[in-house]
Amino acid sequence: MGVTGVRLWARPAPVTLSPAAGPGRAMKVLLLVGLGALFFAYYWDDNFDPASLQGARVLLTGASVGVGEELAYHYARLGSHLVLTAHTEALLQKVVGNCRKLGAPKVFYIAADMASPEVPERVVQFALDKLGGLDYLVLNHLGAAPAGTRARSAQATRWLMQVNFLSYVQLTSLALPSLTDSKGSLVVVSSLLGRVPTSFSSPYSAAKFALDSFFGSLRRELDVQDVNVAITMCVLGLRDRASAAEGVRGVTRAKAAPGPKAALAVVRGSVTRASSVFYPWRFHLLCLLRGWMPQPRAWFIRQELNITTPAAA
């Protein structure tokens, strides 16, 4: 008898776990399936269109070094109009020059210290005057406790809250009318410490948790009011900049995230109007694990710290 057809697909036999496999193997299989689903959902559901940034009006804070500097270069390559701000004017001038070489059609800068409560209004008004409106507000600046203050003192906490939280609120409030008109995006570059608290970072972590709560609530308010402004919260690791690294030197074993790659993840999230961005991606898993283990044991925390338990007497 001749062959009349070729069977190209056959239904696989169902996979079963024998009783001998035990619950441990079943849990491993479920965990692997869950991790795989998380990975594919995060990396494959992507409608990133770089051309949408051509001519976009972007106000970027903390733009002089690290992730902020790399963000400026990404937006410049993609043809966005930029207003850059940071504390140090000389560093800003260097970034502005590089952005022009990369093809940004318009680049302006304003040196500003976000520790001063009157500065955010001046920065937003400068951007509106230069660009005629905003499509993106990218909040990226940060500050460590000023020299001469104890890390957990009320003075240091007050300073950190102004720089790392209150100035974000001020900038958002001032820019929101323009973003509402343009149906724009708010991009908040935060930290894993805004989702998972750790040792020796009390005031800084408090400011980052405040950011997560404030912008999470604001997102719901905008949804209820049918305001088409996206809010993207970006959860990054240790920032790739000298001040961040110095602040944890000798305390943590964690390494700084590469600036260009972290910045690209932020840009992609801003364009796709994602609600959250995690870089590295495993931080998403860490945030989920915190819900299962809200009070990790001390031995687990020490794995990321350069501390040891006292020797037994």
Side-chain angles (χ1 to χ4, degrees):
M1 181 181 295
V3 177
T4 59
V6 178
R7 190 174 185 181
L8 298 177
W9 179 84
R11 182 183 299 275
V15 177
T16 59
L17 294 175
S18 65
R25 183 175 176 182
M27 288 300 295
K28 290 179 181 178
V29 171
L30 289 174
L31 180 59
L32 288 173
V33 170
L35 289 174
L38 179 64
F39 179 85
F40 282 106
Y42 189 73
Y43 283 100
W44 288 78
D45 184 17
D46 188 1
N47 57 348
F48 177 55
D49 179 15
S52 66
L53 283 172
Q54 185 75 36
R57 300 162 298 176
V58 180
L59 169 56
L60 169 62
T61 69
S64 61
V65 293
V67 172
E69 179 181 359
E70 298 298 336
L71 281 169
Y73 297 156
H74 282 308
Y75 284 118
R77 290 187 190 97
L78 295 171
S80 300
H81 303 299
L82 298 171
V83 167
L84 309 178
T85 183
H87 183 272
T88 306
E89 184 170 5
L91 293 175
L92 271 175
Q93 290 174 337
K94 180 200 73 171
V95 176
V96 167
N98 290 337
C99 286
R100 287 174 178 154
K101 293 176 183 177
L102 290 169
K106 294 180 183 178
V107 190
F108 306 95
Y109 77 90
I110 175 172
D113 182 0
M114 293 297 173
S116 301
E118 68 276 5
V119 161
E121 182 174 4
R122 181 161 58 89
V123 169
V124 172
Q125 191 58 55
F126 177 86
L128 294 176
D129 290 343
K130 294 297 184 182
L131 302 181
L134 290 174
D135 300 299
Y136 291 88
L137 171 61
V138 185
L139 301 173
N140 170 72
H141 61 280
L142 59 83
T149 60
R150 291 188 299 111
R152 284 175 285 184
S153 68
Q155 179 185 0
T157 301
R158 188 177 299 110
W159 189 91
L160 281 166
M161 290 300 288
Q162 170 58 42
V163 175
N164 297 329
F165 173 63
L166 292 175
S167 66
Y168 279 57
V169 175
Q170 291 175 281
L171 290 161
T172 297
S173 176
L174 294 161
L176 195 54
S178 181
L179 293 172
T180 300
D181 291 341
S182 66
K183 298 180 173 58
S185 294
L186 265 166
V187 183
V188 183
V189 181
S190 187
S191 166
L192 183 64
L193 295 183
R195 300 287 185 92
V196 181
T198 188
S199 309
F200 309 109
S201 63
S202 306
Y204 181 82
S205 188
K208 294 302 182 181
F209 264 83
L211 282 180
D212 192 65
S213 180
F214 176 84
F215 285 101
S217 179
L218 179 61
R219 182 188 289 118
R220 295 189 179 187
E221 292 173 14
L222 297 178
D223 287 343
V224 169
Q225 298 169 3
D226 290 325
V227 176
N228 189 11
V229 173
I231 297 179
T232 299
M233 293 296 299
C234 304
V235 179
L236 306 185
L238 180 63
R239 307 289 280 278
D240 189 13
R241 54 182 292 180
S243 61
E246 188 62 34
V248 295
R249 188 179 303 279
V251 174
T252 179
R253 298 187 178 100
K255 296 181 180 179
K261 293 182 179 180
L264 181 58
V266 172
V267 171
R268 294 174 75 95
S270 70
V271 171
T272 59
R273 300 171 77 86
S275 60
S276 299
V277 169
F278 295 88
Y279 188 87
W281 72 269
R282 66 179 181 274
F283 281 3
H284 198 175
L285 178 60
L286 288 176
C287 293
L288 293 175
L289 286 174
R290 182 177 181 261
W292 304 339
M293 191 170 59
Q295 296 294 335
R297 295 180 62 85
W299 67 264
F300 182 80
I301 298 173
R302 289 192 192 100
Q303 305 311 305
E304 290 295 320
L305 302 175
N306 287 325
I307 60 175
T308 57
T309 55

